[in-house]
Amino acid sequence: MIPLLSGSHARQLTRRQGQLRDQLVRLVLAEGFSTFTMDQFAARLRCSKRTLYTLARSKEQLATLAVREFFRAATEQVETAIRRVRQPARRVVAYLQAVAAALAPASREFHDDVAAFRPAREIYQRNTEAAAQRVRELIDDGRRAGAFRNVPTAFIAEVIAATMQRITSGEIQASTRLSDAAAYTELARLVVAAVRR
């Protein structure tokens, strides 16, 4: 998605709270969050409910925190992956492949729960839009460098955002049998082919 928008700036956490938040993100990515209660989260994370309440006041806020943190970390991961790539076409490909890698730990349960929970869905939507905007910036950079032809980048960004949503929802895999990683690779090739001189 990416520059995956992380939402509002998080407050400073203690070391223990940071570890707990990271464990929460891994758990939510693997199993989703809709079926968990605060008691179950506490049991799985081996902490007290009181400790969990230092992170969030409710299960819904805890889920939102996990989703927001996942996208914040994914932003860093993706931007780091393309930092040293200079050739414009390779930057576009590397970016979309890095998005696929960042999303790889997210289970179908996670995606289904995000789709069904409005605050998480809005975070996901903002990040998908930001990712499409980032690809648009990469294409604009390539166009200014003379590597890409003059193309309607706003339209291309819309197509990318829509395709990314279909990949993440599982629709692309269901209709094409491509894995998410393969679908992102093909999307990158399609975009590069469309803009290359």
Side-chain angles (χ1 to χ4, degrees), residues 16 20 23-24 27 36-53 55 59 62:
R16 172 64 179 135
L20 192 61
Q23 291 169 353
L24 172 69
L27 177 60
F36 282 90
T37 64
M38 287 297 274
D39 285 320
Q40 290 169 327
F41 271 130
R44 291 293 296 278
L45 297 170
R46 297 182 182 151
C47 69
S48 67
K49 277 206 304 186
R50 184 175 185 176
T51 301
L52 273 185
Y53 285 129
L55 291 178
K59 169 191 158 175
L62 207 59

Side-chain angles (χ1 to χ4, degrees), residues 3-62:
L4 291 171
L5 299 172
S6 58
S8 58
H9 185 68
R11 63 184 170 84
Q12 190 69 28
L13 300 180
T14 66
R15 184 167 179 248
R16 172 64 179 135
Q17 288 171 327
Q19 291 170 339
L20 192 61
R21 179 202 59 202
D22 294 345
Q23 291 169 353
L24 172 69
V25 171
R26 287 192 292 274
L27 177 60
V28 165
L29 284 174
E31 300 182 33
F33 52 82
S34 65
T35 62
F36 282 90
T37 64
M38 287 297 274
D39 285 320
Q40 290 169 327
F41 271 130
R44 291 293 296 278
L45 297 170
R46 297 182 182 151
C47 69
S48 67
K49 277 206 304 186
R50 184 175 185 176
T51 301
L52 273 185
Y53 285 129
T54 67
L55 291 178
R57 295 180 196 157
S58 68
K59 169 191 158 175
E60 292 75 20
Q61 287 182 359
L62 207 59

Side-chain angles (χ1 to χ4, degrees), residues 57 71 85 94 155 167 194:
R57 295 180 196 157
F71 282 115
V85 180
F155 172 74
I167 291 170

Side-chain angles (χ1 to χ4, degrees), residues 129-185:
E129 290 167 1
Q133 177 60 33
R134 184 69 172 109
V135 175
R136 181 179 177 175
E137 290 168 6
L138 294 174
I139 292 170
D140 284 338
D141 290 346
R143 191 170 43 80
R144 283 191 292 272
F148 298 152
R149 60 191 181 83
N150 194 11
V151 294
T153 52
F155 172 74
I156 290 172
E158 287 294 323
V159 170
I160 291 167
T163 304
M164 289 172 75
Q165 287 174 346
R166 291 198 69 215
I167 291 170
T168 306
S169 72
E171 293 173 77
I172 293 291
Q173 187 171 35
S175 63
T176 67
R177 298 184 186 265
L178 287 173
S179 69
D180 288 0
Y184 272 104
T185 297

